[in-house]
């Protein structure tokens, strides 16, 4: 990362919240579930599937974990009349993983039970490296009882190939969202260069498809998407009608819309991830940290050097 990018990231915390919101609203539906519902309706009208996420992570008490679970229940209610097919996506530390693994598993199990009652799926996300063992343990435990749960795996990590082998053995009908990984991990445990992370992504996608997993290809990378399309075509996975396919592409709301449209127009199912919640500020700062161009624009506006 260059000096300017480091400077831009260093300045981001000083930007006033209202100004952050002017940019954040591209990535975040709003603070309330009704904001998410509005975005979901619009995305469905444009031919996209959706994923809903309640923003939040690293909570400090189990009461907050229970409150997060309640918000997910509200989201399930709100989705009923809007999108019968929209899964919910949950961060492990938002449900208390780092405080009490048993409580986290109970809350996740309850959400899966409620979601299953309306044929909806739940995705247990992946956070930074220290949380991975706990996340996979809870995921495997809940997957023994619920068949509507999936997890996320990150291609930047060396360990992921082994995790794929483990999960293909332990979880019947494994359902994985494959991502590069947003957390910058040390080079002792992760690839740090883009080409290595992308190569790992495609290798893992191949292993998961060949292992019979249901696969969410969550990327906005042209080359990675092209390589995955080739894997899909070689295996004839795009032959069944869209609703019966075992793969889909997934993108973040507000990121590379034309890329998502091109995949949709190419006949693939594409889901857009719609985050909402009162914790929009922390989430937005992370997204902008990932894209120094946007962050630079915000900094200029904040500190009077727009243009
Ligand atoms: C549906 C979904 C769910 C995810 N869930 C998780 C998760 O549980 N755990 C996790 O660690 N990561 C998660 N991620 C994030 C993921 O790990 C990557 O950080 C993110 O997708 C960027 O990687 P990329 O494959 O798009 O490739 P990149 O090489 O990072 O990006 C490809 C292109 O897209 C643009 N781009 C990518 N991201 C942004 C952005 N935020 N703003 C503007 N432009 C951008 C880049 O500028 C570049 O042009 C998720 C991503 C998606 C799409």
């Amino acid at each position: 990362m260059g000096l300017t990018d480091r400077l831009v990231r260093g300045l981001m915390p000083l930007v006033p919240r209202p100004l952050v919101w002017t940019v954040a609203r591209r990535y975040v539906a709003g603070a309330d579930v009704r904001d998410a519902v509005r975005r979901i309706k619009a995305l469905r009208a444009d031919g996209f599937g959706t994923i809903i996420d309640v923003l939040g992570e690293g909570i400090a008490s189990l009461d907050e974990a229970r409150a997060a679970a309640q918000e997910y229940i509200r989201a399930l209610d709100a989705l009923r009349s809007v999108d019968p097919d929209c899964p919910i996506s949950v961060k492990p530390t938002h449900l208390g993983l780092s405080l009490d693994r048993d409580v986290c598993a109970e809350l996740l199990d309850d959400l899966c039970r409620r979601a299953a009652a309306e044929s909806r799926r739940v995705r247990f996300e992946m956070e930074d490296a220290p949380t991975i063992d706990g996340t996979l343990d809870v995921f495997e435990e809940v997957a023994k009882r619920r068949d509507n749960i999936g997890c996320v795996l990150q291609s930047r990590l060396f360990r992921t190939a082994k995790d794929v082998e483990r999960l293909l053995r332990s979880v019947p009908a494994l359902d994985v969202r494959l991502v590069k990984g947003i957390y910058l991990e040390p080079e002792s445990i992760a690839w740090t260069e883009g080409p290595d992370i992308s190569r790992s992504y495609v290798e893992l996608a191949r292993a998961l498809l060949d292992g019979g997993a249901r696969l969410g290809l969550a990327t906005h990378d042209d080359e990675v998407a092209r390589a995955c399309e080739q894997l899909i075509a070689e295996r004839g996975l795009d032959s069944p009608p869209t609703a019966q396919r075992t793969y889909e592409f997934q993108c973040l709301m507000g990121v590379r819309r034309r890329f998502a449209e091109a995949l949709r127009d190419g006949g693939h199912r594409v889901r857009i991830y719609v985050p909402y919640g009162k914790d929009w500020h922390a989430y937005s700062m992370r997204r902008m940290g990932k894209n120094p161009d946007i962050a630079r624009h915000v900094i200029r506006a904040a500190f009077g050097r727009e243009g």
Side-chain angles (χ1 to χ4, degrees), residues 127-139:
E127 300 178 73
D128 56 346
T131 64
I132 295 179
D133 285 329
T135 298
L136 292 181
D137 288 349
V138 169
F139 167 65

Side-chain angles (χ1 to χ4, degrees), residues 98-284:
S98 307
L99 301 175
D100 187 323
R101 216 179 265 193
D102 292 340
V103 171
C104 177
E106 270 166 40
L107 293 173
L108 181 66
D109 186 68
D110 184 58
L111 278 181
C112 288
R113 181 181 62 75
R114 291 170 189 268
E118 38 196 276
S119 310
R120 217 178 273 288
R121 302 191 64 77
V122 176
R123 172 96 46 190
F124 206 34
E125 297 196 353
M126 194 58 84
E127 300 178 73
D128 56 346
T131 64
I132 295 179
D133 285 329
T135 298
L136 292 181
D137 288 349
V138 169
F139 167 65
E140 279 180 318
E141 185 192 324
V142 176
K144 281 184 200 146
R145 292 187 293 277
R146 310 283 172 200
D147 62 5
N148 62 330
I149 184 166
C151 69
V152 176
L153 294 174
Q154 300 162 327
S155 75
R156 72 169 61 240
L157 294 173
F158 300 153
R159 63 174 286 169
T160 302
K162 287 251 154 41
D163 290 335
V164 166
E165 285 173 21
R166 160 182 164 182
L167 295 176
L168 282 170
R169 273 197 309 272
S170 65
V171 179
L174 178 64
D175 177 358
V176 170
R177 171 194 300 155
L178 185 59
V179 299
K180 288 185 182 177
I182 196 157
Y183 306 90
L184 299 178
E185 303 291 0
E187 60 188 15
S188 53
I189 60 166
W191 281 284
T192 53
E193 299 295 327
D196 293 328
I197 298 168
S198 296
R199 197 172 317 112
S200 163
Y201 190 107
V202 178
E203 281 165 18
L204 292 165
R206 180 183 288 113
L208 286 159
L209 291 173
D210 288 344
R214 196 180 156 127
L215 186 56
L217 296 154
T219 184
H220 318 87
D221 182 322
D222 292 306
E223 277 182 33
V224 167
R226 252 194 310 276
C228 291
E229 280 187 293
Q230 198 179 329
L231 293 176
I232 288 161
E234 284 164 4
R235 286 155 184 77
L237 297 172
D238 48 357
S239 307
T242 320
Q244 289 160 29
R245 291 187 193 162
T246 52
Y247 79 91
E248 64 188 22
F249 285 91
Q250 300 179 354
C251 296
L252 300 171
M253 190 174 76
V255 175
R256 298 204 69 199
R257 168 80 182 206
R258 271 191 228 122
F259 167 86
E261 287 169 352
L263 286 169
R264 177 201 64 190
D265 296 345
H268 301 295
R269 177 165 51 196
V270 183
R271 277 188 200 282
I272 309 291
Y273 183 93
V274 180
Y276 80 94
K278 55 184 173 42
D279 282 342
W280 62 267
H281 188 256
Y283 174 84
S284 310

